Amino acid sequence: MSNCAVIIPARYASTRFPGKMLADLAGKPLIIHVCEKAAASKADLVAVATDHEKIFETVSSRNFKAVMTRADHPTGSDRIYEAAEKIGCDIIINVQGDEPLIPTSVIDELIDLMKNNPELEMATVAVPASREEMADPNKVKVVFGSDNYALYFSRSVIPFLRTGGTDTPVYLHWGIYAYRRAALDKFVHLPAGRLENCEKLEQLRALENGIKIYVMTSSLQSIGVDTPEDLAEAEKKLRGE
């Protein structure tokens, strides 16, 4: 059993950018950039969990491990779980397949965090944001307590700065997760909760059911590729423009 595995969910369908995992980015498929970033980390194993033969073949042809999963998974975590069951691992790091610029150091920090703190069930990452960025409902916000455990995730502005209130640092949620195997098993077998169904954020299922999520803060950034415009921006970053 691998002690720690980075598993990258990579489905072919995408509402805003179908087939984006195979889109060309600086001469290679987007998903391969993500594999290379993950492979440079401390993880014992890197695997792509996909529902599409072309993604499977593309990943395998570059000598990375690919795992075929069902097409009907409701969330990325469910896809990750199916792959983890086939691989066997104690700690799972969920790196999104559309994050070609994710810093390897962030993956390593999460791995170290989970290995050094066996009491943690789940962990994720937050980055400082401006009040202007907080207004975008497509960007997920997170608030956490003095112990760094998440209090809530939302598409709305949290915390809200009331007139006369004292401003406080605000954070965006970066959708990379670390799971203890038992916590992931528990999570995917829970029904979707009312908060999850309301905000369409699967991490709220964990909070609703008492699974604590530790929030690691980082000053680093990445670019998630949701649209062809994002892909062009990632290309500029990779080429140092």
Side-chain angles (χ1 to χ4, degrees):
M1 177 182 286
S2 298
N3 187 39
C4 179
V6 170
I7 303 181
I8 305 164
R11 66 190 186 98
Y12 188 82
S14 171
T15 305
R16 288 182 284 179
F17 193 175
K20 67 180 178 181
M21 296 296 169
L22 300 176
D24 181 83
L25 176 59
K28 66 183 76 167
L30 184 150
I31 187 65
I32 299 302
H33 286 276
V34 184
C35 289
E36 289 174 348
K37 292 284 190 178
S41 76
K42 297 177 179 179
D44 300 303
L45 176 70
V46 174
V48 172
T50 187
D51 62 349
H52 199 272
E53 282 288 348
K54 188 64 188 287
I55 296 175
F56 183 94
E57 291 166 6
T58 298
V59 170
S60 299
S61 70
R62 300 292 183 112
N63 296 316
F64 292 108
K65 184 175 180 61
V67 179
M68 282 299 295
T69 59
R70 301 197 329 262
D72 60 348
H73 283 304
T75 70
S77 295
D78 292 285
R79 191 174 309 284
I80 288 281
Y81 178 72
E82 182 184 346
E85 285 290 279
K86 293 176 178 178
I87 293 168
C89 45
D90 302 318
I91 296 169
I92 300 103
I93 308 295
N94 176 351
V95 172
Q96 300 303 312
D98 57 7
E99 292 261 4
L101 301 180
I102 186 167
T104 298
S105 60
V106 171
I107 301 172
D108 284 342
E109 284 184 62
L110 271 178
I111 292 171
D112 288 340
L113 180 72
M114 296 299 283
K115 286 186 174 181
N116 296 331
N117 299 276
E119 75 281 4
L120 298 184
E121 295 182 283
M122 282 183 65
T124 191
V125 181
V127 293
S130 66
R131 281 286 173 183
E132 289 71 30
E133 289 177 296
M134 298 291 277
D136 186 348
N138 292 313
K139 294 181 177 179
V140 179
K141 298 84 185 176
V142 60
V143 289
F144 46 90
S146 57
D147 58 1
N148 279 80
Y149 281 105
L151 299 173
Y152 196 66
F153 297 85
S154 183
R155 298 187 184 278
S156 294
V157 178
I158 54 171
F160 178 79
L161 179 58
R162 184 175 178 176
T163 302
T166 302
D167 204 356
T168 185
V170 290
Y171 293 87
L172 294 177
H173 178 224
W174 190 351
I176 175 174
Y177 293 95
Y179 309 90
R180 200 75 59 188
R181 184 184 177 89
L184 180 59
D185 184 286
K186 177 181 177 181
F187 177 83
V188 299
H189 289 100
L190 289 167
R194 58 186 179 83
L195 297 176
E196 177 184 3
N197 285 332
C198 178
E199 297 240 24
K200 296 303 178 184
L201 297 173
E202 63 177 296
Q203 61 269 43
L204 292 175
R205 188 192 320 171
L207 297 188
E208 283 186 85
N209 289 279
I211 300 175
K212 298 172 74 174
I213 304 176
Y214 187 90
V215 180
M216 184 185 86
T217 57
S218 175
S219 60
L220 300 176
Q221 298 280 353
S222 182
I223 294 178
V225 177
D226 292 319
T227 65
E229 291 74 24
D230 293 335
L231 186 71
E233 186 64 25
E235 179 105 15
K236 287 181 182 179
K237 291 282 188 183
L238 276 173
R239 297 191 184 280
E241 298 175 12

